[in-house]
Amino acid sequence: MKLFKYTLDIAMDLGTANTIIICNDRIVVDEPSIVAINNTTGKLVALGDKAWQMYGKAHENIKTIRPLCNGVIASFSAAETLIKGLIRMIDKKTRWLTPSLRMVICIPSGSTNVEARAVRESAELAGGGEVYLIHEPMAAAVGIGLDVTAPSGNMIIDIGGGTCEITVIALGGIICSRSLTIAGDVFTSDIQNYIRRQYNIRIGERTAEEIKKRVGAVLIGLESPPENYVVYGSNPMSAAPVEVSVSYHEISHCLDRSISRIETAILQVMELTPPELYADIIRHGIYLTGGGALLRGLDKRLTDRFKIPFKIVDNPLHAVARGTGIVLKNMSEYPFLMS
C-alpha cells in the first residue's frame, strides 16, 4: 500500500517510435513506445523493449499495441499504461511511494487542441500533478544550444518516428512551420513494400526497421557505404525460405519518393519565411534532428538540393528530450514555451 508521497520532476519525449524520460539531468528511460496486453485479463504483460521483442510474434492471447500513431495518441488506455509503466522504471521507490509528478512533455507543432488535450489527460491519469506541454521543434532548438529568444531566425527539421516537423523559429516563437506524417514509420513501410515488390517476399516491421538502420540511405555514391544486409523471408506463393542481400542503393531508391515530399514541404516553409529571417537561415544553416536525420546522405542531399548547409546535430535522437529536460530545469526562464 502506497502511503507516502514525494515530488518527481520528469521531462518526457513521448514519441511514436521511442519514449525518452529525463530525470535529474540524465536520461533514465529510453524505450520503444509499445505495450503488450493480455487479451484475457487486460493486464500489462510487457512494455518498452520487452514488448518490442514480442511485436509481430505474439499469440492470440497477447496483443501488442503502439499507443501513438503519427505523433498523436491512437489508444488512450494504452498510452496511460505506457506512461505509468515507464515512470515506474525511473526509480524503485515508485513501487512503494506515490510520487507527485511535475512533467514537461513535448508534442508535435501541428497538434490540434484535442490532440494536445489527449496527451495532457493521459499524463494526468498516469499521476501527473502538474503537466506542461512544449512543441517538439522548440524543445529541439533548446536541446542543440540555440538561443530561442534571440531575434535571429533558425530552421529546425525534426524527423521522428511519426512526424516530420519543419519549423522556423525566432524571438521565442514559431514563425512558420509544416508538420508532415512522412517520417520513420513511412520509411519503414516503404522498405516493406519495396522488398515485397522486388523480391516477392514478406518481411515484418521489425525486420524493415533493422534494414533501415543497417543500410538506410537517401543518396547513391556514399563515401563510406555500408555493407549489404541479408534478409530472410518466405515466398508468399510456395512458403519456401528466401535469402536476399539488400544494398543501400536499393533503399535509397525506395525512399526517394518520401524524401522528395519532405523536400517539397521544406520549400513551402522557405517560401513563407520572412526575408530577414531567410537571410539568417542561410548564414546559420539548417539543423537536422530526430532519428530520420541518421539516414545516410540526407544532409548532403538536402544541401545539394537547396544550396544551404544542412547540419546533423550531435546525438540527434536525444535532441528533443535534452531540450525538454533543460526547459524543465529552468522553467522560470522558458514560461513562453510551455502551455
Side-chain angles (χ1 to χ4, degrees):
M1 182 177 180
K2 298 183 178 183
L3 299 175
F4 304 100
K5 289 189 177 184
Y6 67 100
T7 301
L8 191 66
D9 287 355
I10 63 174
M12 181 179 294
D13 176 8
L14 185 62
T16 303
N18 293 281
T19 296
I20 301 168
I21 297 178
I22 291 181
C23 184
N24 297 325
D25 296 330
R26 64 187 181 92
I27 294 175
V28 291
V29 173
D30 185 355
E31 297 278 340
S33 302
I34 185 170
V35 295
I37 304 293
N38 187 305
N39 275 331
T40 304
T41 63
K43 292 184 177 180
L44 177 68
V45 175
L47 57 79
D49 189 58
K50 290 182 178 178
W52 176 246
Q53 293 174 22
M54 299 178 184
Y55 193 58
K57 298 181 178 181
H59 53 75
E60 61 181 12
N61 288 334
I62 295 179
K63 178 170 61 176
T64 53
I65 306 171
R66 296 180 64 184
L68 290 98
C69 179
N70 297 331
V72 299
I73 291 177
S75 173
F76 196 80
S77 60
E80 179 190 344
T81 300
L82 175 69
I83 295 171
K84 280 183 177 178
L86 294 178
I87 290 172
R88 291 194 190 100
M89 291 183 178
I90 297 174
D91 193 334
K92 292 182 179 179
K93 289 189 297 182
T94 58
R95 298 178 184 177
W96 308 106
L97 306 177
T98 303
S100 175
L101 298 177
R102 184 170 66 160
M103 307 170 67
V104 177
I105 304 176
C106 53
I107 58 174
S109 61
S111 297
T112 64
N113 290 335
V114 173
E115 292 164 349
R117 192 183 311 123
V119 173
R120 189 188 301 275
E121 289 179 359
S122 291
E124 289 172 347
L125 288 172
E130 295 180 57
V131 179
Y132 303 93
L133 305 180
I134 179 174
H135 287 134
E136 289 175 359
M138 299 302 293
V142 173
I144 63 180
L146 299 180
D147 182 2
V148 296
T149 63
S152 181
N154 289 287
M155 179 179 277
I156 311 289
I157 301 177
D158 179 53
I159 308 175
T163 60
C164 173
E165 307 279 326
I166 306 164
T167 309
V168 175
I169 64 172
L171 295 170
I174 294 175
I175 305 301
C176 51
S177 68
R178 281 290 308 277
S179 182
L180 308 177
T181 56
I182 302 168
D185 284 351
V186 171
F187 301 155
T188 301
S189 179
D190 288 343
I191 293 171
Q192 285 181 282
N193 294 334
Y194 173 80
I195 296 297
R196 176 149 192 161
R197 289 195 314 269
Q198 186 72 13
Y199 298 105
N200 198 31
I201 63 174
R202 295 182 298 113
I203 61 171
E205 188 175 331
R206 294 174 71 244
T207 301
E209 189 76 23
E210 192 64 23
I211 294 172
K212 186 171 66 178
K213 291 178 181 177
R214 298 292 187 92
V215 293
V218 298
L219 191 67
I220 295 175
L222 296 176
E223 293 182 2
S224 302
E227 295 183 1
N228 291 2
Y229 182 68
V230 177
V231 178
Y232 302 94
S234 65
N235 186 300
M237 300 297 292
S238 64
V242 181
E243 176 183 320
V244 297
S245 180
V246 181
S247 70
Y248 83 91
H249 291 88
E250 296 176 274
I251 302 306
S252 175
H253 172 71
C254 83
L255 295 181
D256 182 70
R257 184 176 180 182
S258 292
I259 298 300
S260 294
R261 293 174 67 185
I262 291 177
E263 289 174 341
T264 300
I266 294 172
L267 182 60
Q268 292 170 346
V269 172
M270 286 181 172
E271 290 173 346
L272 295 173
T273 303
E276 297 296 337
L277 295 181
Y278 187 85
D280 292 336
I281 291 169
I282 293 175
R283 286 195 297 270
H284 300 155
I286 298 173
Y287 301 93
L288 294 170
T289 68
L294 298 175
L295 285 171
R296 296 166 182 84
L298 180 62
D299 55 339
K300 187 176 187 310
R301 171 171 171 158
L302 294 177
T303 298
D304 293 344
R305 168 71 172 80
F306 294 101
K307 311 305 179 187
I308 300 173
F310 281 73
K311 307 171 184 178
I312 301 174
V313 305
D314 293 335
N315 196 359
L317 282 168
H318 294 156
V320 172
R322 191 164 58 243
T324 308
I326 293 172
V327 170
L328 172 67
K329 186 178 179 180
N330 305 279
M331 294 184 72
S332 60
E333 297 179 23
Y334 297 104
F336 52 90
L337 296 183
M338 297 178 292
S339 59

